[in-house]
Amino acid sequence: MTFGQILCLILAFLLVASGWAVSYLCRGRLRWGATILLVLVDGLTLAGFALGGRHPGWHWADWPYLGTLLQVLTVVFMLQVLLVTLVLLVVLGRWLYRRLKRPASPVPFDASRRRLLQRAAIYPALAAGASLYGEAIERRQLVVRHLDIPVADLPSQLQGLRIAQLSDVHLGLFYSLADWRELLERAAAQQPDLLAITGDLFDDDKINVAAAGILEEYVDRFPHGIWFCLGNHEHFRNLRQTLWALQATRVHTLVNSAAPVEGLAPLWVVGADYPMHRPDFAKDKVKYTTQAFTEVPEGAMTLFLAHHPEFIDDGAAHGAALTLTGHTHGGQFGFLGLPVFPVFKYTRGLVQTGDSYGYVHSGNGSWFPCRIGCPPELAIFTLINKE
């Protein structure tokens, strides 16, 4: 199923659900006006996202106001989602209250529904506020997370080693080259020993070469280099051009391969590919991981970079001390530190499997510009000796 088809299904479902919420909150001409407006807005949203850099030969930069338009439509889209959620919770709460209360005699009218309708404006206002916050504020609020990673028999030269991770920047429509430079500056300011980037960085073939050039400018800011593995979006966006651009830099690009970190023996960094559109991902990830670890000598300590979080299990199976992944964007929506939509086996945060650790990065950008309860992050890992 293509991106456009998935988007059509989502918008169709959202339109039906929003229509139900509007019918619950509005009456008469207001209901019809709101419904017509929803149809127009959802149609524009579909057209905008379908056009947003996905048509061959077309580029978002040719339309300077498209990014702004799509951000506005994103706010409206999220307003609908949150409005439906709020009304659904209220209706469910009313239903549970009435079931538990068990009135002795039938009531002549539904007083709670009338109170709901009298306060109908509160619901879209709350939904609009949350949507604006997610698009305009939280998705731009980088959080720096520090995590200690205990490693058994950690060599003395690796004790205190600091590894920074970035992931899922999605350069393009909602993340500019200026944003990219600022993010690298923020990462370098933390003074880590090396930088790991776990895929979906290059997402616009018109600026990928320039983005690789900016990455090269920062190599010297990380004493033990910048290390990169591919994500699925690199495969979508002229992979050959991106690899060519990276080859002209000092960035260590690992495609089912491994390399030692100069001056930090016995540390090796291993990187797996993730083409995504494959018939059997489970078999492929085992194949890619095995191929990548083939070069690693016995007794080496390994840092494993892979885009999809299920590679964490494969990293543990090969004895990786730490596996860094991304892909999920942390779910982009969370509550109390937990993802609202945990559709992946590992969606966000630290995972421990035996003596091996894995991490699912929440991402730095996104192809859908809204985050609530899941801000972009800069993860800093410090290796410590396991007691």
Side-chain angles (χ1 to χ4, degrees):
M1 184 175 289
T2 66
F3 174 84
Q5 291 170 333
I6 295 173
L7 187 58
C8 283
L9 288 175
I10 293 173
L11 288 174
F13 173 79
L14 181 60
L15 181 59
V16 172
S18 299
W20 166 79
V22 166
S23 69
Y24 205 86
L25 294 173
C26 304
R27 289 290 182 267
R29 292 182 179 179
L30 183 59
R31 177 199 291 183
W32 285 107
T35 302
I36 293 171
L37 182 61
L38 284 174
V39 172
L40 291 174
V41 168
D42 288 344
L44 283 173
T45 304
L46 173 60
F49 274 101
L51 210 67
R54 287 172 171 77
H55 189 279
W58 183 92
H59 188 247
W60 62 268
D62 300 329
W63 299 81
Y65 299 108
L66 179 63
T68 301
L69 175 61
L70 288 180
Q71 290 179 50
V72 172
L73 292 175
T74 298
V75 171
V76 178
F77 177 87
M78 285 306 304
L79 187 154
Q80 293 179 64
V81 172
L82 294 170
L83 178 63
V84 170
T85 303
L86 286 172
V87 174
L88 186 62
L89 289 173
V90 169
V91 171
L92 180 61
R94 288 179 58 250
W95 180 81
L96 289 173
Y97 174 76
R98 293 178 63 185
R99 293 283 293 181
L100 294 174
K101 186 178 180 181
R102 297 183 182 276
S105 59
V107 293
F109 64 91
D110 192 339
S112 60
R113 178 178 173 85
R114 186 175 72 176
R115 287 193 296 270
L116 172 64
L117 293 173
Q118 288 173 343
R119 298 172 174 82
I122 294 175
Y123 297 88
L126 288 174
S131 180
L132 284 167
Y133 166 78
E135 193 285 328
I137 298 177
E138 183 166 320
R139 78 178 181 94
R140 307 171 194 273
Q141 299 296 310
L142 184 71
V143 173
V144 180
R145 303 192 195 280
H146 294 271
L147 300 100
D148 290 339
I149 304 298
V151 179
D153 302 319
L154 183 65
S156 58
Q157 66 270 30
L158 298 180
Q159 292 186 22
L161 183 74
R162 286 161 49 86
I163 301 164
Q165 183 194 8
L166 302 174
S167 191
D168 298 270
V169 175
H170 290 283
L171 284 166
L173 192 56
F174 303 118
Y175 212 100
S176 69
L177 291 175
D179 295 329
W180 173 224
R181 189 182 295 277
E182 180 182 351
L183 179 61
L184 287 171
E185 190 65 38
R186 294 281 300 273
Q190 294 293 317
Q191 298 183 327
D193 296 292
L194 63 85
L195 172 64
I197 306 173
T198 48
D200 279 10
L201 165 61
F202 301 96
D203 204 6
D204 188 327
D205 55 11
K206 295 293 180 69
I207 62 174
N208 285 348
V209 173
I214 293 173
L215 198 57
E216 164 64 20
E217 294 175 22
Y218 279 84
V219 168
D220 293 328
R221 300 284 295 276
F222 302 94
H224 293 285
I226 298 176
W227 302 76
F228 175 75
C229 73
L230 297 173
N232 50 299
H233 279 251
E234 274 78 30
H235 285 270
F236 300 159
R237 304 295 187 185
N238 199 337
L239 177 62
R240 180 178 297 180
Q241 178 199 61
T242 299
L243 290 176
W244 170 82
L246 287 169
Q247 286 172 1
T249 72
R250 291 169 291 165
V251 175
H252 302 276
T253 303
L254 301 174
V255 184
N256 300 329
S257 60
V261 181
E262 187 176 351
L264 287 182
L267 179 62
W268 281 60
V269 182
V270 183
D273 194 7
Y274 179 55
M276 187 173 177
H277 290 308
R278 306 282 293 184
D280 196 335
F281 169 61
K283 290 182 179 179
D284 280 343
K285 70 185 183 70
V286 172
K287 172 185 173 183
Y288 295 154
T289 306
T290 302
Q291 180 181 341
F293 274 85
T294 299
E295 305 172 43
V296 179
E298 186 175 352
M301 177 189 155
T302 52
L303 169 65
F304 185 31
L305 310 183
H307 186 61
H308 197 285
E310 288 188 22
F311 277 96
I312 289 174
D313 294 333
D314 300 277
H318 283 79
L322 177 62
T323 300
L324 301 181
T325 69
H327 188 59
T328 69
H329 300 189
Q332 284 196 214
F333 301 94
F335 182 70
L336 298 178
L338 299 174
V340 173
F341 307 108
V343 296
F344 295 89
K345 181 178 181 180
Y346 307 122
T347 302
R348 184 193 301 184
L350 196 63
V351 177
Q352 183 177 2
T353 305
D355 291 330
S356 180
Y357 287 85
Y359 192 76
V360 186
H361 195 280
S362 291
N364 296 104
S366 60
W367 53 265
F368 182 77
C370 186
R371 288 175 175 266
I372 299 177
C374 184
E377 67 175 339
L378 166 60
I380 308 290
F381 305 90
T382 301
L383 303 186
I384 61 174
N385 196 42
K386 184 177 181 180
E387 299 179 356

